[in-house]
Amino acid sequence: KKVLFVRVGRGSDYEVTENMTLKQLIQANNFTYISDSITEENFPDDGRIRRRGKVEIRNFGKNMTSEAVITELAKDSCRPATVYELFDWSKDSKELNKNVVALGSVASSGGEQGVACVWFGRSGRGANRDWFDCGWSDGCWFAFIRESGASEHKSLETLDSRVSSLERDMTKIKKFLIV
């Protein structure tokens, strides 16, 4: 199946510019529903929200486990977004009819592992806690951060290939002009 890939955020770069608490991020989102299990006690800030990177959301178009999603993201030098990054992104997002999951923050409760999900619909927007160990349907989207070194490396590869292509073209032109 085709992988759907969307780059979103404030321009193409995402940077947490304010050190907002989870409670402040919840208030900024104006959720019509928020699970009472999404708290700073369950999802403590571990400092990762201060990294800079590109926020993107991806839909794989198939049912997947959390581990499979994380493995696929890692292949592209990406990590799952935390609940803080998801909420910071969602407060400005105009996405509709999407369920976006942040697998980067896991809260334990009663032996179960929970992650935050944000949903957007015509009736409003909400945040819920779902189980990390559950399977995700083909309609779920996953928020993630592209590690900054990965995009720089990819840019250099692209630049190198363009320079090589230009050098080949130049060689052809020189042969044409000399003959």
Side-chain angles (χ1 to χ4, degrees):
K1 289 191 175 189
K2 184 178 177 183
V3 173
L4 301 175
F5 185 74
V6 179
R7 185 166 286 150
V8 293
R10 295 183 194 102
S12 61
D13 288 328
Y14 166 88
E15 184 174 9
V16 177
T17 55
E18 305 169 61
N19 252 347
M20 296 176 79
T21 65
L22 188 58
K23 187 174 183 175
Q24 291 168 328
L25 287 167
I26 290 168
Q27 290 171 343
N29 269 279
N30 293 319
F31 290 122
T32 53
Y33 171 80
I34 181 79
S35 169
D36 59 2
S37 64
I38 298 180
T39 64
E40 289 173 346
E41 181 180 312
N42 290 334
F43 293 99
D45 174 9
D46 64 3
R48 286 188 294 167
I49 64 169
R50 289 168 189 81
R51 286 190 184 173
R52 184 168 191 242
K54 293 181 180 178
V55 172
E56 300 170 53
I57 60 174
R58 183 179 289 181
N59 172 277
F60 293 95
K62 62 182 178 181
N63 296 343
M64 297 178 77
T65 64
S66 296
E67 291 87 356
V69 170
I70 293 169
T71 299
E72 285 300 312
L73 293 175
K75 288 179 183 177
D76 292 329
S77 299
C78 300
R79 66 170 174 80
T82 67
V83 64
Y84 291 82
E85 291 162 333
L86 175 64
F87 284 7
D88 192 63
W89 165 79
S90 67
K91 71 182 171 55
D92 298 321
S93 177
K94 305 294 184 232
E95 297 290 325
L96 281 177
N97 301 318
K98 285 189 171 67
N99 181 32
V100 184
V101 182
L103 295 173
S105 299
V106 180
S108 295
S109 175
E112 299 287 340
Q113 304 291 314
V115 293
C117 306
V118 172
W119 51 265
F120 305 88
R122 296 196 195 291
S123 63
R125 45 200 271 135
N128 202 4
R129 186 173 132 188
D130 214 329
W131 302 117
F132 181 86
D133 296 327
C134 77
W136 301 103
S137 75
D138 60 354
C140 287
W141 290 75
F142 301 91
F144 64 95
I145 305 294
R146 185 172 303 280
E147 298 292 356
S148 60
S151 59
E152 291 166 13
H153 180 68
K154 201 170 219 178
S155 295
L156 289 175
E157 285 177 3
T158 304
L159 180 60
D160 287 344
S161 67
R162 291 180 71 196
V163 167
S164 295
S165 177
L166 288 171
E167 286 172 343
R168 284 190 303 273
D169 289 346
M170 197 66 170
T171 302
K172 290 177 186 175
I173 292 170
K174 283 181 182 177
K175 286 181 182 177
F176 177 75
L177 292 174
I178 292 174
V179 176

